Amino acid sequence: MAAAAEAPTASEYIVHHLANLNSSGAAQKHIVDFSIVNWDTVFWSVLTAVITAWLMRRAARLVTDGTPNRFVGAIESVVEFVHEQARAIVKGDLAYIAPMALVCFVWIFLMNAIDLIPVDLFPWIASKLGLHYMRAVPTADLNGTMALSIVVLGASIYYGLKIKGGGGFVHEMLSAPFGARWFLAPFNLVLQVIEYLAKTVSLGMRLFGNMFAGELIFMLIALLGASVTWWGIGLHFLTGLGWAIFHILIITLQAFIFMMLALVYVGQAHEHH
């Protein structure tokens, strides 16, 4: 008689839940691997992006001259808040920058909010569909957060070229911070490249680190429920509820920080040195 399948250990449980559904068909061994596509990160990122677009479009269609309903009022409050932050940081045309910041904030907030859904729900649904892995929080995947930070890098370079022109952008790359001397140009260029890379890496790593830690804590809390005792179930419920309430602040704060840093980096592109 075949032996019954044993329940996974705590380490096996966590390792399994931290594995992405990827193009290799196996658990990903490295945090960053550009030869592998994490399909679950792509799916949940696109889904939350569609929800973000629907929310914005729905609010715009419901706007009237009368008193707005609660949904429209909430969206308008977010829009006004983001616009004020963009106007305070970026000294230039906000026609595209403010909407970019708004989408950035709402989209990242929705991706972060997936972490509030019970940690075993989506893996269980995926297993019923024949999928061995399912990691639902895109911002807990370094590949996802680095992709977002690379977009911010592209936006800062684009606005640097748009505001200063090609010649002005190149001149700044070669003349700041040490000055416009020909023998200092190589050092200026190296430092400018390092600054761009450092801002990009730190932006992605900051969001990833906070969301990865939050996801891991939810997994540890879920393990408390494996002990079918009154104290195990009680601790599982109380700690899970407490951390979920506190995590609402974290997911909102992380979306806000990412948006603000994106505005700062784009705002720096409007400044002349």
Side-chain angles (χ1 to χ4, degrees), residues 41-217:
T41 298
V42 174
F43 172 78
W44 293 107
S45 298
V46 173
L47 179 61
T48 49
V50 171
I51 295 174
T52 300
W54 179 83
L55 287 174
M56 297 296 104
R57 186 173 185 271
R58 179 67 176 170
R61 290 172 63 89
L62 291 176
V63 171
T64 61
D65 294 332
T67 303
N69 58 32
R70 293 181 179 179
F71 170 71
V72 175
I75 296 297
E76 286 184 344
S77 298
V78 174
V79 171
E80 291 176 1
F81 171 75
V82 172
H83 190 272
E84 287 299 318
Q85 300 302 317
R87 186 171 61 179
I89 295 174
V90 181
K91 308 303 180 184
D93 186 12
L94 300 179
Y96 296 101
I97 297 175
M100 180 195 73
L102 175 65
V103 171
C104 180
F105 175 75
V106 177
W107 186 24
I108 293 177
F109 174 81
L110 290 178
M111 287 192 288
N112 292 348
I114 298 176
D115 213 8
L116 298 175
I117 298 173
V119 69
D120 288 313
L121 178 59
F122 289 128
W124 178 79
I125 295 175
S127 67
K128 298 301 180 182
L129 299 175
L131 303 175
H132 298 292
Y133 305 103
M134 177 56 63
R135 196 173 176 194
V137 185
T139 47
D141 180 6
L142 185 57
N143 300 275
T145 59
M146 287 304 299
L148 292 171
S149 63
I150 289 173
V151 171
V152 175
L153 170 65
S156 63
I157 293 176
Y158 166 78
Y159 280 104
L161 291 170
K162 180 180 179 180
I163 300 300
K164 303 164 188 173
F169 182 79
V170 173
H171 178 267
E172 182 174 288
M173 292 288 290
L174 298 177
S175 61
F178 296 129
R181 299 289 189 273
W182 66 266
F183 55 87
L184 295 175
F187 303 100
N188 290 326
L189 179 61
V190 169
L191 284 179
Q192 288 280 358
V193 171
I194 291 175
E195 180 182 355
Y196 275 110
L197 292 177
K199 290 190 294 188
T200 302
V201 173
S202 63
L203 186 62
M205 287 290 292
R206 180 182 291 103
L207 179 59
F208 161 73
N210 284 277
M211 296 311 302
F212 181 85
E215 183 185 41
L216 186 59
I217 291 176

